[in-house]
Amino acid sequence: MAPPATVDDVTAVLQALFDEAGVEGFVHAHDIDSDREVAFRADAPVIVASIRKIAVAIAYARQAAAGALDRAARHTITAANREGGGIGTDSCLHDVTLSTRDLAFFMLSMSDNAATDKLMEILGTEVVRAVAAELGCPRLPVGRYRDLWDPVWEELGLDPDGDIDAQLDQVSEERIRGLAMLDPTRSASSTPREITSLLTAIWRDQAGPSEACAEVRELMSHQLSVHRLAAGFDADVRVAAKNGSLWGVLNEAAVVEYPDGGRYAVAVFLRTPTLGGRNPAADAAIGRAARTAVDHLRRAPAAIPTKETR
């Protein structure tokens, strides 16, 4: 199937594939080495979920490059850092000791929330918030997971020290959908364009010292999940990505690099009709949307601008 030839064609294809998957979609793709872009609701506020960890990673890498922290220093993840039921050390029953660098590795490779909280503890919330704002994401959610989730439990009237899963079973879907945390107009958020701008700065060595940017690029290349955005591209295309999920939210942002040197930052955000569980159609839509946008950028002459779709 030939890539869509015009901006209107791209818009139609993206809308059709989101309709087919039964989701609401938001996309921005940017050619890192030019000003070409594809924008589909790219300036609408979106819930970023774990994509926020990219900002934590660049804050860590900047401090490491400056010698302000030791990549090899050992840190212990304890019950105070674990929410339970998550991935990686978040589900460990006992304390785990990792280096500073490996906290960042676990954070980006498997989206380990406990490792993220320990790294946030080391860096400090204000440092990460300042980095996010400096790099064009001033409303990005920043903080330890307990800081982000305690207001949710309070809004739902749950006991944070009790069995959260059991309590959530008694909460209606309507109440969960009405949470401020899931409304980008009432909570910390970003936009697809802001996220691709952050990625572009990292890949252009503009998000910090070149050493720091290179470290984040390398860490992002190890994401274990490949069933969303990466699935839309051929095996010879290098994908460095970070995904995110929440109730009714599926996202992924990445830079895809082709053998011919083409580099493209792309972010796809979805709102889904179901709150959780597996959603193969939505996962596939992320990869298909990213590929559609990038194919257009690779085909479109530099003189042909794209336009925003709201």
Side-chain angles (χ1 to χ4, degrees):
M1 180 176 176
T6 69
V7 177
D8 288 338
D9 289 340
V10 175
T11 298
V13 171
L14 290 174
Q15 188 62 64
L17 69 86
F18 291 142
D19 289 345
E20 181 183 349
V23 298
E24 185 178 11
F26 309 79
V27 181
H28 191 256
H30 180 234
D31 184 336
I32 289 174
D33 299 303
S34 80
D35 292 328
R36 288 177 291 165
E37 65 173 13
V38 169
F40 183 90
R41 307 183 70 192
D43 296 305
V46 291
I47 298 300
V48 298
S50 285
I51 287 176
R52 77 186 188 94
K53 293 170 181 172
I54 299 173
V56 182
I58 194 64
Y60 146 75
R62 283 166 59 150
Q63 289 213 7
L69 58 78
D70 181 0
R71 292 184 176 92
R74 313 295 287 179
H75 307 278
T76 300
I77 294 171
T78 69
N81 306 117
R82 297 191 298 266
E83 295 292 328
I87 297 171
T89 64
D90 200 36
S91 290
C92 290
L93 296 179
H94 308 290
D95 293 353
V96 178
T97 300
L98 295 170
S99 70
T100 318
R101 181 269 175 192
D102 288 346
L103 290 172
F105 175 78
F106 273 50
M107 175 179 70
L108 291 185
S109 64
M110 61 183 75
S111 209
D112 186 324
N113 290 345
T116 305
D117 268 14
K118 177 56 70 171
L119 196 56
M120 286 292 306
E121 183 181 303
I122 296 163
L123 294 167
T125 299
E126 291 309 313
V127 169
V128 179
R129 180 173 289 116
V131 168
E134 176 192 334
L135 297 177
C137 301
R139 298 191 65 233
L140 200 72
V142 173
R144 297 182 310 123
Y145 271 87
R146 183 170 293 277
D147 298 332
L148 297 174
W149 280 99
D150 277 353
V152 175
W153 309 144
E154 182 177 355
E155 189 175 347
L156 293 175
L158 307 186
D159 177 6
D161 296 319
D163 186 333
I164 289 293
D165 289 337
Q167 294 176 78
L168 281 172
D169 287 341
Q170 307 304 312
V171 178
S172 69
E173 178 175 323
E174 181 180 5
R175 287 190 66 200
I176 291 176
R177 286 196 178 278
L179 285 169
M181 185 189 209
L182 299 179
D183 182 350
T185 66
R186 292 189 291 147
S187 67
S189 63
S190 189
T191 70
R193 190 188 303 275
E194 287 178 353
I195 297 301
T196 58
S197 294
L198 172 62
L199 292 174
T200 296
I202 294 169
W203 259 255
R204 287 180 174 177
D205 284 344
Q206 296 172 342
S210 58
E211 176 186 338
C213 293
E215 183 170 11
V216 175
R217 293 194 296 267
E218 197 274 333
L219 287 169
M220 287 184 63
S221 72
H222 292 287
Q223 180 175 266
L224 296 177
S225 172
V226 294
H227 65 289
R228 290 183 187 168
L229 197 147
F233 295 87
D234 297 338
D236 63 346
V237 176
R238 183 177 184 270
V239 179
K242 184 70 199 77
N243 59 17
S245 304
L246 268 175
W247 293 306
V249 172
L250 293 176
N251 306 325
E252 191 147 7
V255 170
V256 296
E257 300 180 79
Y258 281 72
D260 63 9
R263 306 184 300 169
Y264 310 90
V266 57
V268 182
F269 293 81
L270 302 184
R271 294 176 186 164
T272 66
T274 56
L275 291 180
R278 297 178 180 175
N279 193 331
D283 289 336
I286 291 176
R288 292 172 61 198
R291 180 64 181 267
T292 295
V294 171
D295 278 354
H296 175 71
L297 292 178
R298 287 178 63 77
R299 170 174 177 155
I304 298 179
T306 59
K307 68 178 181 182
E308 170 69 21
T309 299
R310 300 190 184 276

